[in-house]
Amino acid sequence: MGIRGRLTRRLYAADLLTVGAALALGVLAIMGSSRIPHWPAVVLTSAVIIAGLPMLAWCRAHTELRVLGFLHDWSMAPLIYVIYLLVAMINQPLQAGRLCDAWLIAADRWLCGTDPTVWIGRFANPALTEILQLAYALFYGLLLAVGAEFFLKGDDRRFRQWGFMCGCGFYLSYLGYLLVPAVGPRFTLHDFSALDRELPGLWLTPWLRAFVNVGGMVPSGVSNEMATALANRDVFPSGHTMMTLVTMIWCWRERLRVRWLVSAIGVLLLVATVYLRYHYVVDVAAGAVAALFCLVTGPRFHRWVSRRAATLDL
């Protein structure tokens, strides 16, 4: 076995995706270091991922500690969010304030004849807002539920394939964020600071909304101008739409037990993207196209990477 085989035979194909994403972001941070204030943190974090994943895999292979196996199997889950944060640290300073929201608003008006988030506001009521905000907050839980069913069944092949699909989907959406930086209608067509007043829920909505805001690096209780300046440029395509559709279709394709629950929450989540003012309709449409692309190419790409790199997936 060659050097490449010795380096990759303890890794999953999903690990190689994450290492590749970290490497690309590290290089991008170095190239744009004059404009990225926190470029050393991006480079250091990328280096930790690039070295840490193979080290974790090596330790797993040379010990009998089950906890290391569990950490390696599920490492994709936290690292997807870490890569998201690195993208945010690079994207805002690189764009130097450039936003594409005006283009997306124009596309929405051309497609729908109006601003969809404004139009759908006529149907707003606290109970509906509460349900949709809860569904939106459960986004990552849907993906984890699919992985957990494969994991608990001991279906290693499908578990690894699902991890690879998640990596493909999320990293594709992150590329979109870099190419089309935008903050979304809750900052442009609406006043972020008035959201709780204009779109109130019942009991959990304020907490769930704050949870989503923190995940997107937006503190609650700030002015619309401040929120816009701080918000991640993470609108186009809608990653929530893309990965929700991939998850729903994957559940039915694999006849998983969680398919009914995932589908019910998923449909509500898709409505929530526009109703809760997180996305333009064009973001949702782009997310649907990206989901189809991932579903068609993802499994083939997974087989190709696994065979070429002789990973653990084989």
Side-chain angles (χ1 to χ4, degrees):
M1 182 177 290
I3 294 176
R4 181 179 64 183
R6 290 196 296 271
L7 289 174
T8 60
R9 64 181 179 178
R10 300 185 183 93
L11 295 172
Y12 297 133
D15 295 335
L16 297 181
L17 270 185
T18 300
V19 167
L23 178 61
L25 291 174
V27 171
L28 189 59
I30 292 173
M31 293 175 60
S33 58
S34 62
R35 288 186 287 171
I36 302 173
H38 301 296
W39 72 268
V42 176
V43 173
L44 178 60
T45 305
S46 298
V48 169
I49 293 172
I50 293 168
L53 264 177
M55 184 176 296
L56 176 60
W58 185 91
C59 292
R60 173 188 190 172
H62 288 81
T63 67
E64 296 183 358
L65 295 176
R66 296 182 64 182
V67 66
L68 293 180
F70 181 84
L71 290 175
H72 185 205
D73 287 339
W74 287 93
S75 59
M76 173 65 79
L79 288 178
I80 280 175
Y81 184 66
V82 173
I83 296 293
Y84 168 81
L85 294 178
L86 296 182
V87 171
M89 293 172 69
I90 289 174
N91 203 12
Q92 294 191 37
L94 271 185
Q95 302 295 346
R98 182 177 74 95
L99 291 174
C100 298
D101 287 84
W103 298 352
L104 302 179
I105 292 171
D108 258 14
R109 290 173 178 171
W110 180 78
L111 284 171
C112 306
T114 186
D115 295 312
T117 57
V118 175
W119 177 85
I120 203 172
R122 70 184 68 185
F123 304 106
N125 69 74
L128 179 60
T129 301
E130 185 90 354
I131 293 171
L132 295 181
Q133 189 69 63
L134 178 60
Y136 196 86
L138 290 173
F139 169 62
Y140 286 106
L142 301 183
L143 282 69
L144 293 174
V146 174
E149 181 161 338
F150 288 136
F151 187 80
L152 294 174
K153 288 166 56 178
D155 195 338
D156 293 341
R157 183 181 68 83
R158 287 184 171 83
F159 177 77
R160 293 164 185 171
Q161 187 181 49
W162 177 242
F164 187 86
M165 289 292 295
C166 289
C168 285
F170 277 105
Y171 299 152
L172 178 61
S173 69
Y174 298 168
L175 177 61
Y177 302 162
L178 291 168
L179 296 176
V180 187
V183 292
R186 57 183 171 147
F187 305 106
T188 55
L189 297 174
H190 306 274
D191 185 348
F192 173 80
S193 62
L195 187 57
D196 288 333
R197 183 177 66 256
E198 294 177 354
L199 204 61
L202 297 176
W203 305 286
L204 297 177
T205 292
W207 304 96
L208 295 172
R209 189 171 282 158
F211 170 74
V212 174
N213 289 342
V214 169
M217 310 303 291
V218 183
S220 300
V222 298
S223 67
N224 192 69
E225 293 74 17
M226 179 65 70
T228 303
L230 295 174
N232 290 344
R233 278 57 177 150
D234 59 355
V235 167
F236 186 93
S238 169
H240 279 70
T241 298
M242 172 170 47
M243 291 311 302
T244 297
L245 288 173
V246 168
T247 304
M248 291 167 64
I249 294 172
W250 204 262
C251 281
W252 286 95
R253 176 185 292 178
E254 298 294 335
R255 305 296 293 177
L256 299 183
R257 294 179 180 177
V258 296
R259 64 185 183 275
W260 290 103
L261 179 61
V262 166
S263 297
I265 297 175
V267 169
L268 292 173
L269 196 156
L270 295 175
V271 175
T273 57
V274 176
Y275 175 93
L276 296 175
R277 306 175 180 177
Y278 290 115
H279 286 284
Y280 306 104
V281 165
V282 70
D283 305 334
V284 175
V289 172
L292 179 61
F293 176 79
C294 285
L295 287 165
V296 171
T297 64
R300 299 174 185 177
F301 188 36
H302 178 248
R303 288 193 296 270
W304 184 84
V305 172
S306 301
R307 290 169 182 169
R308 292 282 295 181
T311 64
L312 277 175
D313 303 67
L314 296 176

